[in-house]
Amino acid sequence: SEIPVGTRLLSIVEAPEGVYINLSKHFDTGGGTDSIYKRIFQLIKTAKYNTTKPVYLLIENQPVEVLGGEGIMITQPLNENSLGG
């Protein structure tokens, strides 16, 4: 797993417009660009396996637009094309 040690699932909320996955700030730390890409793809694959609704990522209750120290842009809802450069 590329998910950093210490990452906690704070909540999963299913709403009419989608599923909101709220993770602790640890998800956004360490590992460099390759690790960030792998962990977000791992999250997308797992989430999309379990729902057909759009999936949104929150870190500490805040919608995510940028991940990691390198500032990797992501678009939401999450899908295979969510990662930008």
Side-chain angles (χ1 to χ4, degrees):
S1 173
E2 288 294 326
I3 307 299
V5 172
T7 300
R8 291 186 347 234
L9 175 62
L10 301 177
S11 65
I12 296 177
V13 175
E14 185 172 354
E17 68 276 7
V19 175
Y20 295 84
I21 300 172
N22 186 21
L23 300 175
S24 67
K25 62 186 175 186
H26 296 89
F27 184 80
D28 192 29
T29 60
T33 303
D34 188 53
S35 178
I36 294 283
Y37 276 88
K38 287 179 181 176
R39 75 182 72 154
I40 199 70
F41 278 124
Q42 185 177 349
L43 181 67
I44 291 167
K45 184 176 180 180
T46 300
K48 297 309 270 175
Y49 180 81
N50 289 290
T51 186
T52 57
K53 289 185 175 185
V55 175
Y56 298 88
L57 174 61
L58 302 129
I59 303 255
E60 303 281 340
N61 299 311
Q62 298 299 313
V64 176
E65 295 177 3
V66 178
L67 276 175
E70 292 82 9
I72 298 169
M73 303 289 291
I74 67 167
T75 58
Q76 299 216 46
L78 297 178
N79 62 51
E80 298 79 26
N81 300 312
S82 287
L83 293 165

